[in-house]
Amino acid sequence: MVDTTVMSMAGLRILSGLIELSAAITMLLLNDVKKAIAVNALLAIVGPIILITTMTIGLVSLADQLSYSKLIYIGLGVGLILYGIYK
């Protein structure tokens, strides 16, 4: 039996993949570079939101098993990933 936390995390990743595929098809249908860039810009918002949500679900599930220092390190790691994406 699959853990509900893992199922939630996987479901979000499947949703993210479907959004990516939909965006690619939309770009092909629009057939315009400016509009394709606009669609791509929207994807830049979706990716980090899915990352943060998925990590949050996993961390909430593990919170009772991890020490506070490990949770802080994980939070810093996610923060650095987001910083790297936006800078």
Side-chain angles (χ1 to χ4, degrees), residues 27-42:
M27 287 179 192
L28 290 172
L29 292 174
L30 293 174
N31 197 28
D32 182 29
V33 175
K34 290 179 183 178
K35 292 177 183 175
I37 289 174
V39 171
N40 198 49
L42 291 174

Side-chain angles (χ1 to χ4, degrees), residues 9-81:
M9 293 172 72
L12 280 172
R13 285 297 170 185
I14 290 170
L15 176 66
S16 177
L18 291 173
I19 292 170
E20 295 275 345
L21 286 172
S22 298
I25 292 168
T26 302
M27 287 179 192
L28 290 172
L29 292 174
L30 293 174
N31 197 28
D32 182 29
V33 175
K34 290 179 183 178
K35 292 177 183 175
I37 289 174
V39 171
N40 198 49
L42 291 174
L43 287 177
I45 297 169
V46 172
I49 290 171
I50 296 291
L51 170 70
I52 291 169
T53 307
T54 305
M55 288 296 294
T56 302
I57 291 170
L59 289 175
V60 166
S61 176
L62 290 177
D64 60 338
Q65 299 173 11
L66 296 175
S67 67
Y68 289 117
S69 63
K70 287 183 181 179
L71 286 173
I72 290 170
Y73 284 133
I74 293 169
L76 287 172
V78 172
L80 288 172
I81 289 169

